[in-house]
């Protein structure tokens, strides 16, 4: 049996999602048995001595910071940075006051400088500015065990399935960017009336110690797609 107050967690999450417009979209899942199972599994991990990241309060930050009515792009990564105090709930993003900028994010910034702006930029590691412009920075697992990657993919599968189903119905002509194999495995969950872009994960460049991450010019392609759809382009 769990001793956590599931109803309180649901209500607080729902309230935090209201300003961005996601509360109505995610309400059915938040008040479902599937959401209860996720919270219970995370609590069980904690009791077993396996901490998870990001914290419960930050897990849905990708949705807090991306206004639903502005949503045009879903950028899909793998799972959160596994280090304590680094992941902020948005894929690839970290807080501006973080002492650690992960290699994946460094490669992303370098690729944007190389392909989009052709010059050095002073990017802030908090990617809320992307979220605010209508990019949902989504990991296929919203949490992972501290110091371990890929631990919670199964836990979050029901949520991802629900989310993509809702977006298929209510947000056609959205641009989906799949970064890495784990993300691209979800392509079939998105209907073909959306634009799908696939690239490697920047962590692969870090793992192989490459000078640059070859994104396939994905950041320019996103803006080209937005332009064709007559939607605002992203200021990276």
């Amino acid at each position: 049996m769990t001793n956590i107050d599931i109803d309180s967690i649901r209500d607080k999450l729902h309230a935090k999602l209201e300003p961005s417009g996601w509360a109505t979209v995610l309400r059915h899942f938040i008040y479902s048995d599937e959401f209860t199972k996720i919270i219970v599994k995370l609590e069980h991990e904690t009791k077993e001595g396996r901490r998870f990241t990001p914290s419960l309060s930050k897990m849905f930050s990708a949705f807090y910071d991306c206004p639903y009515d502005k949503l045009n792009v879903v950028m899909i990564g793998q799972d959160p940075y596994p280090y304590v105090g680094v992941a902020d709930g948005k894929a690839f993003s970290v807080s501006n006051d973080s002492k650690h900028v992960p290699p994946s994010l460094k490669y992303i910034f370098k690729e944007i400088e190389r392909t989009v702006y052709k010059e050095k930029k002073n990017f802030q590691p908090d990617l809320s500015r992307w979220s605010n412009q209508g990019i949902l920075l989504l990991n296929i697992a919203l949490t992972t065990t501290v110091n371990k990657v890929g631990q919670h993919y199964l836990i979050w599968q029901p949520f991802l399935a629900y989310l993509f189903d809702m977006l298929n119905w209510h947000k056609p002509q959205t641009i989906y960017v799949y970064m890495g194999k784990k993300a691209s495995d979800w392509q079939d969950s998105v209907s073909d009336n959306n634009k799908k872009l696939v690239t490697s994960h920047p962590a692969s460049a870090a793992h192989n110690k490459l000078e640059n991450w070859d994104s396939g010019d994905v950041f320019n392609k996103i803006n080209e797609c937005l332009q064709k759809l007559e939607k605002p382009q992203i200021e990276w």
Side-chain angles (χ1 to χ4, degrees), residues 52-54 80-87 100 102-103 144-149:
F52 66 87
T53 187
Y81 300 121
Y83 317 109
V84 174
V86 177
H100 178 75
T144 193
T145 305
V146 169
N147 296 326
K148 293 184 178 181
V149 297

Side-chain angles (χ1 to χ4, degrees), residues 122-162:
N122 184 27
F123 293 120
Q124 295 297 307
D126 184 339
L127 300 182
S128 294
R129 65 185 180 280
W130 293 7
S131 299
N132 296 161
Q133 294 178 77
I135 300 180
L136 181 65
L137 294 168
L138 180 70
N139 281 313
I140 59 170
L142 272 59
T143 57
T144 193
T145 305
V146 169
N147 296 326
K148 293 184 178 181
V149 297
Q151 300 298 299
H152 291 177
Y153 292 140
L154 291 177
I155 292 176
W156 288 100
Q157 276 186 1
F159 174 71
L160 264 289
Y162 173 87

Side-chain angles (χ1 to χ4, degrees), residues 85-145:
V86 177
D88 67 359
K90 299 181 291 291
F92 305 108
S93 176
V94 296
S95 170
N96 284 337
D97 58 9
S98 175
K99 296 179 180 178
H100 178 75
V101 178
S104 290
L105 187 53
K106 290 180 181 178
Y107 273 101
I108 287 173
F109 288 159
K110 189 176 181 182
E111 178 71 352
I112 293 172
E113 290 171 345
R114 185 175 72 89
T115 62
V116 179
Y117 295 111
K118 316 292 186 182
E119 63 181 357
K120 186 74 174 177
K121 291 282 188 177
N122 184 27
F123 293 120
Q124 295 297 307
D126 184 339
L127 300 182
S128 294
R129 65 185 180 280
W130 293 7
S131 299
N132 296 161
Q133 294 178 77
I135 300 180
L136 181 65
L137 294 168
L138 180 70
N139 281 313
I140 59 170
L142 272 59
T143 57
T144 193
T145 305

Side-chain angles (χ1 to χ4, degrees), residues 4 12 37 74 78 93 101 126-127 171 197 207 224:
I4 56 176
K12 287 178 180 178
K37 292 175 184 176
V74 182
Q78 296 182 167
S93 176
V101 178
D126 184 339
L127 300 182
K171 285 286 184 177
L197 301 173
H207 178 75
E224 288 169 6

Side-chain angles (χ1 to χ4, degrees), residues 21 36 38 44 52 67 70 75 84 97 104 124 166 173 179 188 223 228:
T36 300
I38 291 172
H44 178 73
F52 66 87
K70 286 187 178 181
M75 187 174 288
V84 174
D97 58 9
S104 290
Q124 295 297 307
M166 291 295 289
Q173 294 191 316
M179 291 188 170
D188 290 344
N223 275 337
K228 288 178 181 178

